[in-house]
Amino acid sequence: MSPHRDSSPAQGQQYTGTTATAGRQTPAVRGVLAGLSLSMLLSSLGTSIANVGLPTLAQAFSASFQQVQWIVLAYLLAITTLIVSVGRLGDLIGRRRLLLGGILLFTVASVGCGAAPSLWLLITARAAQGLGAAVMMALTMAFVGETVPKARTGSAMGLLGTMSAVGTALGPSLGGALIAGLGWRAIFFVNVPLGLLTFLLAQRHLPADRQRAAGAGLPRFDHLGTLLLALTLAAYALAMTLGRGRFGPLNLALLAAAALGAALFVRTEARAAAPLIRGTVFRDPGLRAGLATSALVSTVMMATLVVGPFYLSRTLGLDEVLVGLVLSAGPLVAALTGVPAGRIVDRLGAPRTTVAGLCATALGALALSLAPETSGVLGYVVPLAAVTAGYAVFQTANNTAVMADVRPDQRGVVSGMLNLSRNLGLVTGASAMGAVFAFASETTDITTAGAHAVAGGMRVTFAVAAVLVLLALAVTLTGRPGKDGPRGER
């Protein structure tokens, strides 16, 4: 058995009345899932709803696009740099109190965003909102293991994936309607009533944190490792996002800083008495495979957001409204697939379902790489639906496989690492797949490329995407030996 796996009872033993029934969800479990689902919805909504408001915010604050993009970057950087650390902190001090604190911080920061009198105060409030979102993302999956019967873990993970997709899909349309009717401040104030509802549900239904033994001191937290990891991840994320995919001297310097930070982090963790991430965690081939495939497939998914708008507008000639509608098909399919995918995981097991999801994603990407321009919108939407449905199935199964049987004192940090792998895949995909698209389109400025050049770039980009998914499939098949039982049995 791997070092981070354990079959010991979960935290919060007073909560066993809700978890003992293997195949059923009691009202208490449904209350927990409601709170966790809203936490996931809020954190994903916080990302997507702000993007649509950037032009309005640039006008409101008389700022450039480079300045207002920090409204999005501050949120994403806070999540990326801190998600593993807050997951570990939850393992040490108690996940319930930390999740409640994260929800409250997110809600209060949303008030700060909506009331901000200046751009830089808005960016600061967004960073605080991102910290709250990092707590919510890191701990929602960790709570599934101790509150949901093991036989229903896949369904719970599918529900969380659905809510994440709903938040992503809802953001642009809800944000646009709020800005048109009430102004830009409403896109942040809308989080307040949702945040308060989430807090009340979590406070009422989440199991109490396990009490420390009498006389036990405060748990040690790896402050130096946390700082090094945060700086390393910040340097990498900035290298991937600044310059919109064009690598200059600053990007290269940030990548070098990230590489140096990673080396220092590994050395520090090897010597730390209470490391942030124990090296023994990575001895589990299933965990390594789960994290690697999550990063690879998330990189591929970013191609749909990078390539889609240009192909639909410049090659197919759609206006902005129709482009938005077509692009929303992806998150809509993911939202509709999440819960059924969870039930399939519970019935067939996570390993087989992971392979099925990757195969569907690869086939969809391959179809996009072969789609002729004459196939029109339908020739893009149908393969896109296959890609996003496959991704939803993969993500549900992969999350279930990674989180199955994780030791109670490691659930937060492993959940944080899983979310981090996804975020790193997304920021890498925005840069790498954008670079592939620009190179394949044979232009330095994709906004001025011709229709045929964009179509050729789209086909090459998705051919690369298909190769990456096949690589993820190979990692899955070779990295998870002996895990063929149903319901994630080991």
Side-chain angles (χ1 to χ4, degrees):
M1 183 175 291
S2 302
H4 85 290
R5 304 284 182 182
D6 187 28
S7 57
S8 59
Q11 294 181 23
Q13 293 302 308
Q14 70 272 31
Y15 207 66
T16 54
T18 67
T19 61
T21 306
R24 297 166 55 192
Q25 289 182 2
T26 67
V29 173
R30 288 194 288 270
V32 168
L33 288 177
L36 298 180
S37 297
L38 280 176
S39 295
M40 191 64 76
L41 174 69
L42 277 175
S43 55
S44 60
L45 184 64
T47 303
S48 62
I49 200 170
N51 288 306
V52 72
L54 292 185
T56 302
L57 289 163
Q59 184 177 9
F61 291 109
S62 301
S64 66
F65 176 81
Q66 286 74 20
Q67 290 174 319
V68 296
Q69 74 173 340
W70 280 96
I71 296 170
V72 174
L73 283 177
Y75 186 86
L76 294 176
L77 283 173
I79 293 174
T80 302
T81 57
L82 297 172
I83 196 164
V84 174
S85 302
V86 296
R88 180 58 180 155
L89 191 62
D91 291 334
L92 294 176
I93 69 171
R95 284 187 281 272
R96 182 181 188 274
R97 63 172 63 95
L98 186 59
L99 180 56
L100 289 174
I103 296 169
L104 189 61
L105 175 61
F106 183 92
T107 306
V108 172
S110 296
V111 175
C113 291
S118 68
L119 176 61
W120 299 113
L121 284 176
L122 173 56
I123 292 171
T124 302
R126 279 284 285 175
Q129 193 185 40
L131 173 56
V135 174
M136 293 155 70
M137 286 183 175
L139 298 184
T140 48
M141 286 195 298
F143 264 111
V144 168
E146 64 186 80
T147 56
V148 177
K150 188 175 179 180
R152 300 298 301 270
T153 300
S155 296
M157 290 295 185
L159 176 61
L160 295 182
T162 293
M163 297 307 289
S164 177
V166 168
T168 302
L170 185 62
S173 56
L174 177 62
L178 289 172
I179 291 172
L182 301 173
W184 67 264
R185 297 184 188 275
I187 66 176
F188 301 111
F189 284 138
V190 72
N191 292 320
V192 177
L194 290 173
L196 292 175
L197 176 60
T198 305
F199 181 86
L200 292 174
L201 284 171
Q203 185 181 46
R204 178 180 177 86
H205 295 290
L206 288 181
D209 294 319
R210 185 170 52 186
Q211 298 296 318
R212 290 192 298 271
L218 291 175
R220 288 178 293 180
F221 185 68
D222 183 9
H223 296 90
L224 179 58
T226 297
L227 178 61
L228 283 172
L229 182 62
L231 292 175
T232 299
L233 293 173
Y236 180 79
L238 287 172
M240 292 294 107
T241 51
L242 294 182
R244 302 188 196 178
R246 296 181 182 176
F247 267 63
L250 177 59
N251 302 85
L252 293 175
L254 287 168
L255 275 181
L260 176 61
L264 291 174
F265 175 74
V266 171
R267 184 177 181 182
T268 298
E269 295 302 277
R271 298 180 177 184
L276 177 66
I277 302 174
R278 296 187 181 277
T280 54
V281 167
F282 294 103
R283 293 178 187 171
D284 179 7
L287 176 63
R288 293 198 304 268
L291 296 177
T293 53
S294 177
L296 282 170
V297 179
S298 297
T299 300
V300 167
M301 291 307 299
M302 201 64 190
T304 63
L305 300 178
V306 171
V307 176
F310 293 101
Y311 178 73
L312 293 170
S313 61
R314 300 196 65 81
T315 300
L316 300 186
L318 304 186
D319 60 30
E320 292 180 355
V321 175
L322 288 176
V323 168
L325 287 174
V326 173
L327 291 179
S328 66
L332 179 61
V333 169
L336 294 175
T337 307
V339 172
R343 292 172 180 165
I344 294 172
V345 171
D346 288 333
R347 181 176 294 273
L348 299 181
R352 283 193 285 262
T353 313
T354 300
V355 171
L358 289 173
C359 288
T361 304
L363 288 173
L366 183 61
L368 284 169
S369 73
L370 299 174
E373 297 171 44
T374 54
S375 61
V377 175
L378 194 63
Y380 184 83
V381 170
V382 173
L384 176 67
V387 169
T388 50
Y391 175 66
V393 171
F394 159 78
Q395 189 177 41
T396 298
N398 189 59
N399 290 350
T400 303
V402 170
M403 294 303 298
D405 300 326
V406 175
R407 267 173 35 190
D409 64 341
Q410 292 286 303
R411 286 192 184 118
V413 71
V414 172
S415 175
M417 290 163 58
L418 187 55
N419 279 284
L420 174 63
S421 68
R422 175 179 174 272
N423 285 355
L424 289 180
L426 292 174
V427 298
T428 302
S431 178
M433 302 308 278
V436 169
F437 183 42
F439 177 79
S441 300
E442 299 180 348
T443 180
T444 56
D445 186 2
I446 198 65
T447 60
T448 61
H452 296 298
V454 169
M458 186 274 287
R459 287 191 286 268
V460 171
T461 303
F462 279 105
V464 172
V467 171
L468 291 178
V469 179
L470 291 176
L471 176 60
L473 182 60
V475 171
T476 296
L477 293 174
T478 58
R480 288 175 177 163
K483 296 187 177 183
D484 298 325
R487 301 186 181 96
E489 291 175 1
R490 303 290 185 263

